[in-house]
Amino acid sequence: MSSVLFVQLPPPRFSFSQAPVNIPLAAGFLMAALGRQAGQSIRASVLEESVASVYADSGLVEAVVQRRPSLLALTLYVWNVQRSLLLAARVKARLPDTKVVVGGPEATRDNEWLLRHPAVDAGVFGEGESRIQGVVGALAQGRSLADIPGTFCVQDKARRLNLEEPLPWDLAACGYPYLDRVIGPSRSGTLFLETVRGCPFQCRYCYYHKAYKSVRPHPRRAVEDVIRWAYQPDSQVAELYLMDPSFNLSPHYRDVLRLMAQLRPARDIRGHTELRAEFLDDEDPARLSEAGVASVEIGLQSVNPKALALAGRSSRIARIARAVERLKKESIEVTTGIILGLPGDRPEDFQKTLDWLKTTDAYTVVHPFLLSVLPGTDFRQRAGELGLTYDPRPPYYVQATPCFAEDELRDAMLVCETTFDMELDHIDLPCLVDHAPDLTVSLDAADYLSKWIVDPAKKKWRQKLAAALTKAADPFIFWFRGADCRGSEDDITRILDAFFDANPHAFVHVVFEYPTRPRPRFLQRLAARTAQPATYVNKSMQSWIKGTGVLSPAFTILVHDPLEQGSRRRILGAYEDLATIVWDIGAPDEEIISQAAGPCLVSAAVKPGSPYGYHLLRTLRQRFRSSPEDVLFRDNVLQQFWLRSTNQWQPQGFPERIVMDVD
């Protein structure tokens, strides 16, 4: 019997405690279609979230190899394609007979680097349900895919493409995968719901309308059944993400909202969706609010008519402004997207877009995007004609246009950052909990490892490093602690060298806790030696990252707070744009807290309800009223209490697993 393992790797995240949102909806539909057609001849499964969204690269390889699939099926998006192909290559090195088939938005006819990747045996363009059985059967039997429309394969070391358009899949042919429990909501309780497949618009920076040649609704009964199930007390759904690209233009848009509004009294679920704001009528914002939709995304992109016309977008910006005003009156959060680097847009035009937003207040949050010249899009096919210079690898950012030089793109993004008081390369501080008996484990007993507190001088790490590399989570925290940082520089370098060789796509916080601070020159060398600048996690913000030029590794230094501004400025100046300084204030009294600066670390381990604990937390809340995120605790009980009491708590991901080797 052939076995198929579907794998969808998550978007990068920067804190392990942050709940991942990685729902393999495409794999769920494929499994439903495969089960309907193939009967018992094929055993199919999805790599579970507790593996796909936990482990770094090395652990993922081990997990797949242990399952020994005949066929490894990868769903590829811009954020996971490089990492997925690394996984494929390493699995095939261990399991040479395993075939790798790819699909998803990255699998397009013109994405040459993917089509020619040595780890890929075959791929499917567009939706795969109608062809999944044929593809799996052919690969299992060693046959060519040449007669299957909309596929490619490697046969006799030659690449063969069938560019014939496949027939659209009948969306009523199999059930919605949530109802069969093939897949479920994310660990944070988010449920992705597609009510239609396809998009009526033809934005030239987007591939979605090309992947699906028409707009086809899912059967109304199936959509309603999923919604009714989501509102059941035991569904574990906390957020319903209506993921249609233009939800308010879906045929059953208002019916869906009406059903959600009817079910809300029994169980209130937060709604989120994407809208074309210019097509909302006067009553739609109230309908969305009554249904529990708390946040929406809209695409303004630009206010420049020429750029909008070249992008295939509407220029009815006055209607967008009125719609956003009505949405905000209903207390719906509006994230307004704009794109930097559109053909036809000049620096002064981008500035006009920023000015228009500030004048109209047509946003709650502004989300600026640097144009990605994505495979399969009109902009990719016409890049030469339009004069677009772009990175040929993910995230495919535009590097220059006839209207925008490379340095002007960077400058414009920084102007946007200042205009809307945002930090584009913001990374949350690492969790600095080191007192958590219920989270601290031995390496042998740990299923995975999210934080390793280690003194390199003790040399224990040498016996544990190989196991730690395989059990490491993504994201990961190295916490180097000891008596002499300078004397441990070589060992720290060896540890991080080995880690990034094994797990190049992981996001890593590196924390230093030493009596003497690490030398800035050492940190510069360490970043230059160990960082992986070509990975998505680093390239996604490469154009405007300061200091080391990469997000990972991210350095944090714990420093005893001198409680004096001049001393602080000198220390901060030595590490400007190179590392984050966290001021250790120990077990502070009221006077120390009054002089404390953020971010700060509290070392006290007391019960929140004790007299000292109560006074400590109250005084910290008063001092850091406007920036509670700048207060961190070593004690996990205090840390969790602080997050809840200052309204920072969010749905938690998988529990930390901390290994300590500092004795």
Side-chain angles (χ1 to χ4, degrees):
M1 178 183 290
S2 297
S3 61
V4 183
L5 180 63
F6 290 93
V7 175
Q8 178 178 302
L9 299 184
R13 66 190 201 278
F14 306 119
S15 169
F16 188 75
S17 62
Q18 177 187 353
V21 180
N22 181 39
I23 303 173
L25 184 57
F29 279 120
L30 290 171
M31 285 184 61
L34 190 59
R36 177 180 177 274
Q37 300 171 70
Q40 301 299 314
S41 62
I42 297 172
R43 185 176 72 253
S45 60
V46 177
L47 188 66
E48 53 270 34
E49 186 183 26
S50 59
V51 176
S53 295
V54 168
Y55 287 94
D57 306 322
S58 188
L60 288 173
V61 173
E62 292 301 322
V64 173
V65 168
Q66 287 175 12
R67 288 159 175 78
R68 304 188 69 83
S70 309
L71 180 64
L72 178 61
L74 302 171
T75 304
L76 303 182
Y77 295 92
V78 66
W79 61 78
N80 72 11
V81 57
Q82 292 171 301
R83 190 181 181 206
S84 298
L85 294 177
L86 174 80
L87 172 67
R90 290 184 174 182
V91 167
K92 286 179 74 72
R94 302 268 298 275
L95 301 175
D97 293 334
T98 294
K99 300 296 184 183
V100 172
V101 61
V102 298
E106 284 291 298
T108 65
R109 294 163 172 80
D110 63 348
N111 199 358
E112 285 292 322
W113 78 276
L114 171 62
L115 301 184
R116 297 184 182 278
H117 195 281
V120 174
D121 295 295
V124 177
F125 305 127
E127 63 182 1
E129 289 97 331
S130 63
R131 292 160 290 159
I132 185 64
Q133 184 185 20
V135 169
V136 170
L139 291 173
Q141 297 169 24
R143 293 186 285 106
S144 172
L145 273 62
D147 60 343
I148 302 177
T151 63
F152 73 93
C153 66
V154 177
Q155 187 177 29
D156 299 326
K157 298 184 179 180
R159 184 182 55 162
R160 303 179 185 276
L161 283 79
N162 183 327
L163 300 182
E164 181 184 346
E165 288 292 340
L167 293 174
W169 173 248
D170 179 4
L171 295 176
C174 56
Y176 222 103
Y178 295 122
L179 300 177
D180 296 331
R181 306 301 190 268
V182 173
I183 58 172
S186 73
R187 191 173 180 87
S188 63
T190 297
L191 187 83
F192 291 169
L193 180 60
E194 176 188 78
T195 76
V196 300
R197 190 170 290 182
C199 181
F201 301 102
Q202 297 185 355
C203 303
R204 296 189 179 108
Y205 49 77
C206 181
Y207 176 67
Y208 188 73
H209 67 275
K210 290 192 169 188
Y212 309 108
K213 301 300 182 183
S214 61
V215 179
R216 291 168 291 139
H218 282 273
R220 181 173 171 179
R221 176 65 181 272
V223 171
E224 291 180 350
D225 285 347
V226 173
I227 294 173
R228 292 183 188 280
W229 168 76
Y231 280 85
Q232 293 298 310
D234 60 349
S235 73
Q236 299 184 323
V237 175
E239 178 184 55
L240 190 58
Y241 185 168
L242 300 155
M243 60 182 298
D244 303 342
S246 306
F247 175 59
N248 55 313
L249 296 177
S250 303
H252 305 308
Y253 156 63
R254 293 191 177 95
D255 294 328
V256 168
L257 293 181
R258 192 176 301 113
L259 178 59
M260 291 170 62
Q262 291 171 0
L263 296 171
R264 275 189 79 195
R267 186 163 182 265
D268 195 9
I269 292 178
R270 186 183 192 278
H272 177 82
T273 192
E274 301 174 30
L275 303 172
R276 287 296 294 257
E278 63 268 41
F279 295 103
L280 291 171
D281 71 20
D282 290 345
E283 306 302 321
D284 280 338
R287 294 187 184 102
L288 289 160
S289 179
E290 289 165 6
V293 175
S295 58
V296 300
E297 299 173 40
I298 67 165
L300 173 67
Q301 318 313 8
S302 175
V303 299
N304 176 7
K306 180 180 179 181
L308 290 171
L310 286 170
R313 294 285 299 191
S314 163
S315 58
R316 287 177 277 191
I317 59 174
R319 294 192 62 172
I320 292 175
R322 289 195 297 272
V324 173
E325 182 181 10
R326 292 195 297 269
L327 288 165
K328 291 170 69 174
K329 283 182 178 178
E330 295 291 341
S331 299
I332 295 173
E333 179 182 284
V334 180
T335 296
T336 302
I338 57 176
I339 298 178
L340 171 62
L342 287 171
D345 220 23
R346 302 164 300 176
E348 55 266 37
D349 297 317
F350 186 72
Q351 182 63 56
K352 288 178 181 177
T353 297
L354 304 185
D355 294 341
W356 183 88
L357 282 167
K358 291 295 287 186
T359 300
T360 61
D361 200 33
Y363 65 94
T364 308
V365 177
V366 173
H367 192 168
F369 297 89
L370 185 60
L371 176 67
S372 289
V373 187
L374 296 170
T377 63
D378 289 331
F379 278 172
R380 171 67 74 96
Q381 293 165 6
R382 298 176 57 208
E385 172 192 343
L386 295 168
L388 302 179
T389 303
Y390 62 92
D391 187 341
R393 298 294 174 90
Y396 310 109
Y397 281 154
V398 68
Q399 296 168 331
T401 78
C403 302
F404 255 110
E406 185 171 3
D407 59 339
E408 290 176 323
L409 288 170
R410 174 184 169 84
D411 291 345
M413 192 63 84
L414 295 177
V415 168
C416 181
E417 183 179 53
T418 301
T419 301
F420 297 103
D421 192 24
M422 62 177 71
E423 189 177 354
L424 293 171
D425 58 351
H426 172 76
I427 300 297
D428 288 339
L429 294 165
C431 174
L432 295 178
V433 166
D434 62 357
H435 183 262
D438 56 329
L439 303 179
T440 304
V441 295
S442 69
L443 184 57
D444 290 340
D447 292 331
Y448 59 86
L449 170 63
S450 61
K451 183 186 295 177
W452 193 8
I453 304 175
V454 57
D455 181 354
K458 300 297 184 183
K459 308 301 182 184
K460 289 183 179 181
W461 61 268
R462 294 183 176 179
Q463 290 75 42
K464 297 185 176 183
L465 183 60
L469 298 181
T470 300
K471 293 188 175 185
D474 179 19
F476 190 78
I477 296 176
F478 273 110
W479 190 332
F480 295 115
R481 176 189 292 175
D484 178 19
C485 182
R486 187 162 186 173
S488 295
E489 286 181 356
D490 289 345
D491 285 332
I492 291 171
T493 302
R494 291 189 189 99
I495 291 170
L496 291 181
D497 268 344
F499 185 90
F500 280 108
D501 282 346
N503 302 294
H505 292 272
F507 178 82
V508 180
H509 283 287
V510 182
V511 180
F512 296 91
E513 185 178 11
Y514 287 94
T516 303
R517 298 184 296 275
R519 297 180 299 158
R521 284 184 301 170
F522 168 60
L523 298 187
Q524 290 168 342
R525 291 200 310 270
L526 194 60
R529 179 178 177 124
T530 62
Q532 308 290 316
T535 59
Y536 179 85
V537 70
N538 282 319
K539 288 179 69 175
S540 62
M541 297 187 190
Q542 204 167 52
S543 297
W544 47 88
I545 299 172
K546 309 173 188 71
T548 62
V550 293
L551 287 180
S552 176
F555 298 133
T556 299
I557 305 172
L558 305 188
V559 178
H560 179 72
D561 193 346
L563 301 176
E564 194 271 317
Q565 287 295 346
S567 298
R568 287 185 186 132
R569 280 195 295 269
R570 285 191 292 273
I571 294 169
L572 291 170
Y575 296 97
E576 185 177 10
D577 297 332
L578 188 59
T580 299
I581 303 298
V582 174
W583 306 107
D584 190 339
I585 58 175
D589 57 22
E590 191 168 340
E591 182 179 354
I592 289 175
I593 293 174
S594 70
Q595 301 175 62
C600 64
L601 176 64
V602 178
S603 297
V606 296
K607 293 181 179 179
S610 68
Y612 173 66
Y614 174 81
H615 184 71
L616 170 69
L617 293 167
R618 186 185 67 176
T619 308
L620 285 167
R621 276 196 294 270
Q622 292 171 346
R623 178 74 176 88
F624 292 93
R625 184 179 295 108
S626 62
S627 56
E629 69 279 3
D630 279 347
V631 180
L632 303 172
F633 296 83
R634 291 185 186 268
D635 181 78
N636 191 49
V637 173
L638 283 174
Q639 180 67 66
Q640 297 306 315
F641 187 90
W642 178 258
L643 293 175
R644 290 181 182 275
S645 65
T646 56
N647 298 317
Q648 296 182 81
W649 191 88
Q650 296 178 345
Q652 297 296 287
F654 295 89
E656 274 216 271
R657 291 290 180 260
I658 304 170
V659 171
M660 301 190 70
D661 285 308
V662 291
D663 295 331

